């Protein structure tokens, strides 16, 4: 059974940093691309960033480019999201998501880690 | 990248069929067959319903079907059931090598 468990969420002030982790299990982590998707309270889904299976390729939404960094440790089956210069509008539930369907869809989602940016 | 356009809400009675549209541009929905649909219940993570425009993952009911024409994709739920009441999102790959979601549609079963 595929499991994706996020951790590292919390409350921070604007301008501060936070690192999310996602522990993966139940599949060959090193062969699948991974993604972070966020959802602000009461709002819709927003794609944030993706990373290829080996970590050699990354893409970012314009809203986080230059502030967030996605990375992965395939030896530890763990995905990371380093978030710097956090803003109030980064407040959201951050989902760790696995690419599936040959890279064409998001087939498994974690339960999310809540990040609150508030002064 | 602007969000794909979905109706904010749709409704239907049990047994009826409803369709949710998802309108993008020639830079996303219109250019790729990498359109997928997700269902989200309150307080839960989204779940994949449809991928590659019209394919259903194993375990997803055949009451869910989908298609695409030009820049607009559509999800149809037939034989509406009370348990279908949820939020539905479309997503597409884009020419910028990014992904974009629709704004979401709240389905109410009357």
């Amino acid at each position: 059974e595929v499991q994706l468990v996020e951790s590292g969420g919390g409350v921070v002030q604007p301008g501060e940093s936070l690192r999310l982790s996602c522990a993966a299990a139940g599949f060959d982590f090193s062969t699948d691309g991974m993604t972070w998707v966020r959802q602000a309270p009461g709002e819709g889904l927003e794609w944030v960033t993706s990373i290829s299976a080996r970590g050699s390729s990354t893409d970012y939404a314009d809203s986080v480019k230059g502030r967030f960094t996605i990375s992965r440790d395939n030896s530890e089956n763990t995905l990371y999201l380093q978030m710097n210069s956090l803003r109030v509008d980064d407040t959201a539930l951050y989902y760790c998501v696995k690419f599936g369907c040959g890279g064409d869809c998001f087939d498994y989602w974690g339960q999310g880690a809540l990040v609150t940016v508030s002064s | 990248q602007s969000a794909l356009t979905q109706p904010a809400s749709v409704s239907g009675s049990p047994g009826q069929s409803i369709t949710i549209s998802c309108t993008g541009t020639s830079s996303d929905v219109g250019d790729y067959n990498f359109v997928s649909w997700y269902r989200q219940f309150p307080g839960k993570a989204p779940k994949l319903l449809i991928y590659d425009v019209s394919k259903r993952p194993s375990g997803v009911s055949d009451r869910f079907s989908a298609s695409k024409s030009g820049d607009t994709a559509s999800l149809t739920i037939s034989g509406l059931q009370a348990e279908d009441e949820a939020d539905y999102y479309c997503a597409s790959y884009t020419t910028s090598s990014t992904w974009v979601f629709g704004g979401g549609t709240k389905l109410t079963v009357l």
Side-chain angles (χ1 to χ4, degrees):
Chain A
E1 177 193 5
V2 172
Q3 288 191 325
L4 299 168
V5 180
E6 302 93 338
S7 60
V11 181
V12 296
Q13 294 189 337
E16 293 187 338
S17 299
L18 205 58
R19 188 177 83 156
L20 302 182
S21 299
C22 171
F27 65 104
D28 189 349
F29 182 72
S30 65
T31 62
D32 285 309
M34 298 292 295
T35 291
W36 290 97
V37 173
R38 70 184 180 183
Q39 187 170 33
E43 301 295 324
L45 303 173
E46 180 187 12
W47 173 82
V48 176
T49 177
S50 294
I51 188 168
S52 60
R54 295 184 178 181
S56 57
S57 176
T58 59
D59 295 290
Y60 296 91
D62 288 343
S63 57
V64 306
K65 198 173 293 183
R67 300 188 300 122
F68 289 13
T69 302
I70 189 172
S71 62
R72 63 192 297 161
D73 184 339
N74 286 349
S75 67
E76 295 290 336
N77 290 349
T78 303
L79 178 72
Y80 300 102
L81 182 64
Q82 177 67 43
M83 302 183 291
N84 298 332
S85 302
L86 281 161
R87 310 189 300 218
V88 171
D89 61 359
D90 292 320
T91 295
L93 188 63
Y94 285 74
Y95 290 104
C96 169
V97 187
K98 172 185 167 299
F99 269 115
C101 318
D104 301 347
C105 76
F106 309 117
D107 63 351
Y108 288 95
W109 299 62
Q111 288 305 304
L114 183 60
V115 173
T116 302
V117 185
S118 174
S119 54
Chain B
Q1 181 69 46
S2 299
L4 306 176
T5 301
Q6 297 181 232
S9 63
V10 298
S11 62
S13 299
Q16 288 185 331
S17 295
I18 63 95
T19 296
I20 300 171
S21 61
C22 168
T23 301
T25 69
S26 58
S27 296
D28 38 64
V29 175
D31 201 35
Y32 296 100
N33 286 328
F34 302 152
V35 177
S36 48
W37 290 88
Y38 304 85
R39 176 174 66 184
Q40 185 180 35
F41 294 114
K44 300 296 186 181
K47 175 192 171 184
L48 176 67
L49 289 177
I50 297 285
Y51 68 98
D52 288 355
V53 174
S54 60
K55 298 177 182 177
R56 278 190 313 275
S58 60
V60 172
S61 170
D62 60 4
R63 295 189 300 108
F64 295 90
S65 62
S67 62
K68 188 188 86 167
S69 178
D71 296 342
T72 299
S74 300
L75 172 71
T76 297
I77 308 175
S78 58
L80 208 57
Q81 301 176 0
E83 66 206 47
D84 295 328
E85 191 161 288
D87 293 326
Y88 292 81
Y89 294 90
C90 60
S92 175
Y93 188 62
T94 83
T95 55
S96 301
S97 300
T98 61
W99 291 82
V100 61
F101 283 93
T105 298
K106 181 177 179 59
L107 170 61
T108 301
V109 181
L110 302 171

